[in-house]
Amino acid sequence: MAVVNNLKRAICSLFEVHADEGGVQRVVTPLEYPSSNDRIVIRVRPFAGGSGFLIDENGEAAFYAGMNGGDIESEAVERWAAELILNSPASFTEDEKICAFAKSEHLVAPYVFRVAEAAQQLHSLATARTDRQASDFKDRLKQMVKEIAKELNVPWQSDIELPIAGGLKADHLLGTSSPLIIVAATSPARLLEAEVIYMQYRAENKPGYVLAVAENQTVVGKKQYERAAYYTNKAVIFNPDALRHLIKTEVTEHAH
């Protein structure tokens, strides 16, 4: 019972956790499969001998994609699966499940998120019909942050892994001891990642200010955007003039 209670505390409040048979924890995440109201559900299973936890989505991403006419054997999915192994603790297995192995309880919450994020990506890729024009949002944000860092003479890093469990990254980091952590929210999953970063920084009492920047509400979803205001230090829509002023203010007050 103590292990189960500790595991529940390890999974952050962004998720609903339900106890199933055999010590399995069923985690209902805020993320949804694209073009549906089906929320992504993750299972956390104790591994044999108490050596860790197996985290997976029970093959539902591939199943739902197939039901919607998707192709999980496409070249795009194959490339994604190969990149997933390199860039994430999760992997897409031969039995069409996305899974990750957490060696300790403090890795469970971020790994639940990474598996859910991968499930959303797999469904999107498998069911994609047309190529969408790439947005220059991230490039414009990067240029702005670069200019501000130079103007204020503060250290700047981009695409940097943060010193928290799960290998989560910031798009930009301004400052050192108490940095401004900027996340470019290009999807609901990336916005949720900003929330997880914020929650982990609070849980571990680390100095840092998490700013989530979304291109617009349509990209991340109205409900997700409104929720992010409570689970980040600040969440804003990309408005060049207003954002430039905000970042400069936050850097001056927080990043040093």
Side-chain angles (χ1 to χ4, degrees):
M1 179 63 71
V3 172
V4 171
N5 289 335
N6 289 338
L7 178 57
K8 284 186 176 181
R9 285 194 293 268
I11 300 174
C12 73
S13 60
L14 294 173
F15 307 120
E16 298 174 14
V17 184
H18 306 274
D20 288 347
E21 294 181 358
V24 175
Q25 302 295 310
R26 178 167 42 88
V27 185
V28 183
T29 76
L31 293 179
E32 297 179 349
Y33 288 105
S35 303
S36 80
N37 292 320
D38 295 314
R39 293 171 70 180
I40 298 175
V41 179
I42 306 298
R43 272 82 175 176
V44 181
R45 314 171 197 271
F47 206 68
S51 58
F53 303 91
L54 185 63
I55 302 166
D56 67 74
E57 41 67 75
N58 207 36
E60 291 178 356
F63 174 76
Y64 286 137
M67 291 289 289
N68 290 322
D71 180 10
I72 62 170
E73 297 181 355
S74 68
E75 290 185 7
V77 170
E78 289 181 1
R79 289 194 299 270
W80 166 82
E83 293 175 356
L84 184 68
I85 296 174
L86 299 176
N87 301 317
S88 171
S91 61
F92 186 44
T93 65
E94 292 184 359
D95 58 353
E96 299 179 353
K97 286 185 181 180
I98 300 170
C99 63
F101 179 73
K103 294 182 179 179
S104 59
E105 289 181 2
H106 80 281
L107 289 172
V108 170
Y111 281 16
V112 164
F113 167 75
R114 300 302 290 274
V115 171
E117 178 185 45
Q120 191 177 59
Q121 292 170 351
L122 173 61
H123 188 283
S124 296
L125 279 173
T127 58
R129 294 291 187 275
T130 57
D131 294 329
R132 293 182 298 179
Q133 184 177 357
S135 169
D136 64 351
F137 160 58
K138 290 188 69 174
D139 291 337
R140 294 171 66 195
L141 177 60
K142 181 176 182 178
Q143 183 61 33
M144 176 187 296
V145 174
K146 181 179 179 180
E147 291 172 357
I148 292 172
K150 183 177 181 180
E151 179 181 343
L152 299 182
N153 193 29
V154 295
W156 164 59
Q157 299 177 78
S158 64
D159 192 30
I160 181 72
E161 185 170 323
L162 297 169
I164 53 177
L168 300 176
K169 289 186 176 183
D171 288 278
H172 306 286
L173 201 67
L174 285 164
T176 51
S177 59
S178 181
L180 175 63
I181 302 162
I182 300 177
V183 175
T186 53
S187 67
R190 185 60 174 145
L191 183 58
L192 179 58
E193 192 164 339
E195 297 173 29
V196 172
I197 291 169
Y198 171 76
M199 296 292 284
Q200 285 190 249
Y201 262 75
R202 286 189 61 186
E204 298 178 23
N205 199 29
K206 290 183 179 294
Y209 187 95
V210 179
L211 172 63
V213 183
E215 184 174 11
N216 56 60
Q217 284 194 28
T218 302
V219 169
V220 297
K222 186 174 185 293
K223 289 183 179 179
Q224 289 87 339
Y225 177 73
E226 291 175 349
R227 185 193 64 226
Y230 299 95
Y231 290 105
T232 61
N233 291 105
K234 191 177 289 292
V236 299
I237 298 299
F238 183 67
N239 178 305
D241 292 335
L243 182 60
R244 182 181 294 274
H245 176 74
L246 173 63
I247 292 176
K248 290 175 70 173
T249 300
E250 299 300 344
V251 168
T252 302
E253 294 182 358
H254 300 283
H256 52 268

